[in-house]
Amino acid sequence: MSGTTAFRRSYGASPLHLLLVLASFALAAYAGVRLLKGDSVGVALWFVGAALLHDLVLLPLYSVTDRAVQLLFRGRAGAGERSPRPSVNHVRVPAFVSGLLLLVWWPLILRRVGHYTAATGLPADVFLGRWLLITAALFAGSAATLLIRTWHESGPRRRAARRRRRARSATK
């Protein structure tokens, strides 16, 4: 057995992949060292708090919400039909993008930045309304996509039903 075969068996990918992973770890370590140079206790506390908030609060919250949406869409499947699980993604994607926007811009959306107007000369009270409009547009676009997709997928069934109706009316 050659050295490359043994490497692939133990690692599972190419040597180039391993090199890129090691380079990304080195870059992350460098960024971490540079980040911890200032307020290392505050940064470490922030990372631990973010990990705990995600693992203990957010993960169970969005897992339960995702299961509820899956059950909601699963309940709409007729007898003998497969469950329309891809329809769940029409809720997941806009919720994810909206949540990501909220995560990035939450100080401005929730008006937690008092010096924003003084520093930029722009109004700080428009972010909540804009975020709500973007969220509504994301969900509306996703609903429109779902409706178009459903209409398009039901085309063969509609044509078959039309043919059956015409055949019945022709035999009368």
Side-chain angles (χ1 to χ4, degrees):
M1 176 167 38
S2 70
T4 306
T5 307
F7 174 79
R8 284 187 190 269
R9 183 175 298 148
S10 64
Y11 178 65
S14 69
L16 177 63
H17 182 263
L18 177 63
L19 180 67
L20 290 173
V21 167
L22 291 176
S24 68
F25 282 152
L27 182 64
Y30 171 74
V33 167
R34 295 283 303 202
L35 185 65
L36 292 174
K37 231 179 195 181
D39 182 19
S40 57
V41 173
V43 171
L45 186 64
W46 186 86
F47 274 113
V48 170
L52 289 175
L53 175 69
H54 176 267
D55 292 349
L56 298 178
V57 177
L58 295 178
L59 180 66
L61 181 66
Y62 60 71
S63 295
V64 166
T65 305
D66 185 55
R67 292 289 180 187
V69 171
Q70 285 182 23
L71 290 174
L72 177 73
F73 280 108
R74 186 174 294 137
R76 295 186 188 263
E81 292 182 29
R82 66 176 181 86
S83 177
R85 283 189 72 129
S87 301
V88 173
N89 292 333
H90 289 277
V91 175
R92 284 180 183 158
V93 171
F96 172 76
V97 173
S98 177
L100 188 62
L101 287 172
L102 180 63
L103 180 68
V104 171
W105 298 101
W106 71 269
L108 291 169
I109 291 171
L110 300 178
R111 298 181 182 134
R112 299 283 187 223
V113 182
H115 60 279
Y116 180 78
T117 302
T120 63
L122 299 172
D125 59 348
V126 296
F127 288 94
L128 177 62
R130 290 178 182 173
W131 175 74
L132 290 172
L133 282 173
I134 290 170
T135 300
L138 286 168
F139 277 99
S142 185
T145 304
L146 177 62
L147 287 174
I148 291 168
R149 175 188 249 175
T150 304
W151 177 260
H152 182 43
E153 288 175 355
S154 68
R157 284 182 288 173
R158 287 193 321 269
R159 286 191 289 274
R162 190 178 312 131
R163 282 193 296 268
R164 283 192 301 270
R165 283 193 309 268
R166 286 181 185 163
R168 271 186 268 143
S169 66
T171 58
K172 288 184 181 178

